[in-house]
Amino acid sequence: MNRFDTFAMLDWSGGNDTGPRPCRDAIWLGVTRDGVDEAPMYLRNRAEAEAALVALIAAELAAGRRLLIGVDFPFGFPAGFARGLTGCDNPFAVWDWLETVIEDAPGGNNRFDVAGEINGRFPGVGPFWFNGLKREIAGLPRKDTRAGHGMTERRAAEARAKGAFTCWQMGGAGAVGGQVLTGLPVLNRLRRRFYGQVSVWPFEVLDKPVALVEIWPGLINAAVKPLGEIRDAHQVRLMARALARLPQEQLAEMLAVDAPEEGWILGLGYEAALIAACDDVLKPPPLRNDCFALPAGVDWTPVDDALALLQDRLRPVVGQTRAPLAQALGRVLAAPVTALRANPPEANTAVDGYGFAHASLTAGDQTLPLVEGRAAAGVPYPDSVPPGHAVRVLTGAALPEGVDTVILQEDVTLGAGRIAFRAGLKPGANTRRAGEDVAADAPVLAPGRVISPADLALCAAVGVADLPVHEQLRVAVISTGDELVEAGHPARPGQIYDANRPMLLGLVEQMGYAPLDLGRIADDRAALRAALDRAAEDSDAILTSGGASSGDEDHVSALLNEAGAMAEWRIALKPGRPLALGLWRGVPVFGLPGNPVAALVCALIFARPALRLLSGAGWSVPQGFHVPAGFEKRKKPGRREYLRARIRQGRAEVFASEGSGRISGLSWAEGLVELPDGAVTIQPGDPVRYIPYASFLSA
């Protein structure tokens, strides 16, 4: 009976009340219920923590949910301790004994005295050590001078858990001895309060609605290290998530432990599985099946209306994680970033020169004695500069105490132990104020930003080592059609080389996404269905080319229709027009035209902003520029047109042919000229909107 609905992880503390504000050395509770994480709960003392556990157990029992509570201190001691203390090997006898002798209140407890009393029941010196009080305690050494007590130093579990502390150490960073002595009485009271409803692992069979287990957050240390802030809060949150996500059979395997006296650490030996399961990835809900549906009665859709519908109905589909700066370039920021410290962190000099207090200057030209030493970047001047004195400073050096103004070395005459310079220097000259660029705790980057090299520099300067980012959007690319053959392979009569797939894969990569090449699929519905199934499994969005209309061999639109999530948008656009949009197993599909010119234009105009939104970067419009036309053109009303174009001698020139089969025009061009929906006559010199290819990739 190992299936649990709720996982609650507790980070314990043997210290005193930590006050109303969350802090590191406190008690933290993390809960994952039915697969959903709750925010970690700060508990300022053990009385508050015990009350929280009582309320949690009562609530889960009332709701009929099975609850697993993990606590981060040992449930037992090395073999032989229970008999030495209580006369029997039952670990619960130790729990009962400790409950009778531990006196605990938010302001303090008697754990050190109890440790000394226990030591008196064993031969030699020990086994407990470390006295954190100002008074001496009989039998409890302040340092590890123990000998002859007869106990092993570690349980079998700690001997295998690298970095785990022995339960005999009563204080110091990472020590758990005090936590055991103050924690076991609390667990014992919970057993009695909820008698018959709580099992303790591994001492009892887990056949009750509530299970108490021993954990050690050090097992998932690699997942917690990069997160910063209050480490204990992250530990309980991620450990609860990890255990909740594990397959039931793997959790059952972890619980299959025989340690009837010493106890065991849950998950020991399964560290890799726990770390993988606690990966901080958030997946949004799937897209609705009608997200591409057009309003009733709409046939031909203007470009702007189609874009507005996409923007309104799509949502980000990628999870979130954290990435170190070295791996964050080009990723999409998932949450705001604030400065961990100011930039500059302290006032410093902007030039090589001499620093002094401006208020100590007199009227007219100045002569100031120099103090010995200097201030350099990374090597501050160690003393205060007296009024009326100057100190040698180098660019970037922190301003010493007593210095608020710097004069350029070129403006100074240097003598033996003194400098001379003209009057007229303003207070604060040639210095930088602390935080004049960025103040500590100030926002520096907003969500949705695509991280640039300059952003990396800014984050590093304000002490941010890793960033909350969206997972990289994965985009599958499929070409369809019997007529296609791979470039470089023999082509039969009637076959053409597949130009769309390399073009679209390159476009996806240039946009910063992870391309998945699913190859060329013949006009075979079963083969295309299998390719779409794989794409839906391994990607977040799918680009297909060809088969998007309503002909006999247009299998993309046919399969999307079969799936009940298909919309064929007849867009008032040249080149392009038919654009099949739909969902395949919850993954958005963009069915692009088979013609390479139309495929690229539709990908840039429609797929590109949609993919940005799906990636978490938000919706954006590519930046265009109004430039003089280097061509003439008469256009009829009814649809928007995009002409392959480039800038030469300050004017936009367009490709000689508008034929949608002229692939060479795509390579010749460096962008597109956008002509409006209505009728227009363009003469050379008239302003037209030119959108460089780069704007589609960087906006």
Side-chain angles (χ1 to χ4, degrees):
M1 189 178 178
N2 293 325
R3 182 175 294 278
F4 295 91
D5 307 294
T6 305
F7 294 79
M9 301 295 116
L10 195 69
D11 182 273
W12 196 250
S13 172
N16 296 343
D17 186 288
T18 50
R21 299 186 64 181
C23 65
R24 297 176 186 272
D25 299 321
I27 301 174
W28 287 88
L29 178 65
V31 176
T32 297
R33 181 181 291 107
D34 293 329
V36 179
D37 300 345
E38 295 184 0
M41 181 186 302
Y42 166 67
L43 302 165
R44 57 188 292 176
N45 55 54
R46 284 174 297 282
E48 190 172 303
E50 185 172 352
L53 290 176
V54 169
L56 175 65
I57 294 173
E60 299 307 294
L61 291 173
R65 291 187 288 262
R66 287 203 76 210
L67 169 64
L68 184 143
I69 299 175
V71 188
D72 76 331
F73 55 75
F75 284 9
F77 291 85
F81 176 79
R83 179 168 292 277
L85 181 66
T86 68
C88 70
D89 296 328
N90 187 347
F92 291 130
V94 177
W95 292 30
D96 290 335
W97 187 88
L98 287 174
E99 187 183 354
T100 64
V101 298
I102 286 290
E103 300 171 1
D104 198 356
N109 58 69
N110 66 339
R111 67 186 187 275
F112 294 109
D113 296 283
V114 170
E117 180 181 346
I118 294 174
N119 279 352
R121 297 181 176 226
F122 286 82
V125 181
F128 288 99
W129 68 278
F130 189 97
N131 177 6
L133 303 180
K134 295 181 179 179
R135 58 181 173 84
E136 295 299 320
I137 296 177
L140 184 64
R142 292 188 179 274
K143 296 183 178 180
D144 190 3
T145 57
R146 302 165 298 150
H149 53 73
M151 292 288 97
T152 60
E153 186 64 13
R154 299 175 183 274
R155 301 180 300 161
E158 276 113 27
R160 284 188 53 184
K162 184 178 179 181
F165 275 66
T166 170
C167 56
W168 305 129
Q169 184 176 341
M170 289 294 296
V176 297
Q179 297 184 30
V180 179
L181 298 190
T182 58
L184 291 180
V186 173
L187 299 187
N188 209 42
R189 286 193 289 273
L190 292 177
R191 288 180 68 229
R192 288 189 289 101
R193 185 184 187 109
F194 297 99
Y195 181 77
Q197 297 173 302
V198 175
S199 301
V200 179
W201 176 85
F203 307 140
E204 299 176 317
V205 176
L206 298 186
D207 57 356
K208 305 294 192 300
V210 179
L212 293 176
V213 305
E214 176 187 337
I215 62 167
W216 182 46
L219 297 182
I220 61 168
N221 199 33
V224 179
K225 265 187 176 180
L227 300 181
E229 299 175 357
I230 298 180
R231 180 185 182 84
D232 295 346
H234 290 303
Q235 285 180 332
V236 295
R237 174 177 65 88
L238 293 180
M239 183 64 84
R241 172 189 294 172
L243 292 172
R245 288 180 175 177
L246 286 177
Q248 290 299 316
E249 58 273 14
Q250 191 164 38
L251 180 59
E253 188 177 309
M254 288 183 184
L255 291 167
V257 170
D258 183 23
E261 182 181 349
E262 290 190 339
W264 195 256
I265 298 169
L266 181 63
L268 186 59
Y270 296 84
E271 289 85 344
L274 289 169
I275 290 171
C278 71
D279 184 24
D280 200 3
V281 174
L282 307 176
K283 280 291 184 183
L287 292 168
R288 298 170 298 166
N289 276 347
D290 64 348
C291 68
F292 290 127
L294 291 172
V298 171
D299 186 9
W300 285 94
T301 308
V303 171
D304 287 341
D305 290 356
L307 291 172
L309 285 167
L310 283 174
Q311 182 179 3
D312 179 63
R313 299 183 184 188
L314 293 176
R315 296 292 182 270
V317 295
V318 287
Q320 299 178 15
T321 187
R322 296 192 73 89
L325 293 186
Q327 300 171 16
L329 183 65
R331 301 291 291 274
V332 178
L333 199 64
V337 175
T338 57
L340 297 183
R341 76 169 189 174
N343 184 51
E346 51 194 346
N348 65 86
T349 173
V351 298
D352 291 344
Y354 299 88
F356 46 81
H358 191 277
S360 66
L361 299 181
T362 59
D365 294 342
Q366 305 293 313
T367 300
L368 298 180
L370 285 171
V371 298
E372 290 188 8
R374 68 176 191 175
V379 186
Y381 182 73
D383 300 316
S384 176
V385 177
H389 289 68
V391 64
R392 173 67 165 155
V393 294
L394 301 181
T395 302
L399 295 183
E401 185 179 349
V403 172
D404 61 15
T405 302
V406 172
I407 188 167
L408 281 162
Q409 62 184 18
E410 294 84 355
D411 294 334
V412 165
T413 299
L414 178 63
R418 57 184 181 160
I419 59 173
F421 54 92
R422 296 286 186 184
L425 199 65
K426 294 181 179 179
N430 300 312
T431 65
R432 307 182 184 105
R433 301 186 311 277
E436 72 175 22
D437 179 26
V438 180
D441 300 320
V444 291
L445 296 177
R449 184 179 182 88
V450 179
I451 303 299
S452 70
D455 296 333
L456 300 180
L458 174 59
C459 291
V462 296
V464 177
D466 55 82
L467 298 173
V469 296
H470 285 290
E471 297 284 356
Q472 191 177 30
L473 189 75
R474 303 165 301 168
V475 183
V477 176
I478 302 172
S479 286
T480 67
D482 288 338
E483 73 278 14
L484 298 178
V485 65
E486 195 79 5
H489 289 228
R492 300 191 307 270
Q495 286 192 313
I496 59 174
Y497 293 121
D498 181 8
N500 283 350
R501 206 171 87 259
M503 175 181 70
L504 294 175
L505 287 168
L507 184 65
V508 168
E509 189 167 2
Q510 271 199 309
M511 290 178 180
Y513 311 133
L516 173 64
D517 183 2
L518 293 187
R520 304 177 321 282
I521 307 298
D523 289 324
D524 180 290
R525 198 159 298 186
L528 181 57
R529 180 182 288 108
L532 290 173
D533 284 344
R534 181 189 166 194
E537 182 72 24
D538 297 335
S539 68
D540 305 301
I542 304 168
L543 297 182
T544 69
S545 62
S549 191
S550 54
D552 292 344
E553 299 297 338
D554 287 321
H555 298 292
V556 172
S557 53
L559 285 174
L560 291 175
N561 272 318
E562 283 182 20
M566 159 68 183
E568 183 184 343
W569 286 10
R570 301 179 67 198
I571 299 173
L573 171 73
K574 177 185 177 182
R577 292 194 293 184
L579 181 66
L581 301 170
L583 294 172
W584 188 263
R585 292 171 53 185
V587 176
V589 179
F590 297 83
L592 303 172
N595 184 297
V597 176
L600 180 63
V601 170
C602 284
L604 293 176
I605 302 302
F606 297 105
R608 168 244 171 222
L611 292 176
R612 276 184 58 89
L613 199 154
L614 295 172
S615 75
W619 189 272
S620 71
V621 177
Q623 185 175 20
F625 305 91
H626 282 89
V627 298
F631 62 94
E632 60 180 71
K633 163 81 174 177
R634 185 183 299 274
K635 174 190 169 297
K636 296 179 181 180
R639 60 182 179 179
R640 187 169 303 181
E641 292 189 19
Y642 290 91
L643 309 178
R644 286 151 282 175
R646 63 188 185 184
I647 302 295
R648 291 294 183 270
Q649 297 179 339
R651 295 193 170 205
E653 61 180 36
V654 297
F655 191 58
S657 170
E658 294 182 15
S660 57
R662 300 286 294 273
I663 303 176
S664 62
L666 293 176
S667 178
W668 173 91
E670 296 165 357
L672 301 173
V673 162
E674 181 184 65
L675 301 182
D677 298 352
V680 65
T681 299
I682 297 171
Q683 296 294 329
D686 290 346
V688 292
R689 185 170 187 251
Y690 172 74
I691 310 173
Y693 284 151
S695 288
F696 290 103
L697 302 176
S698 62

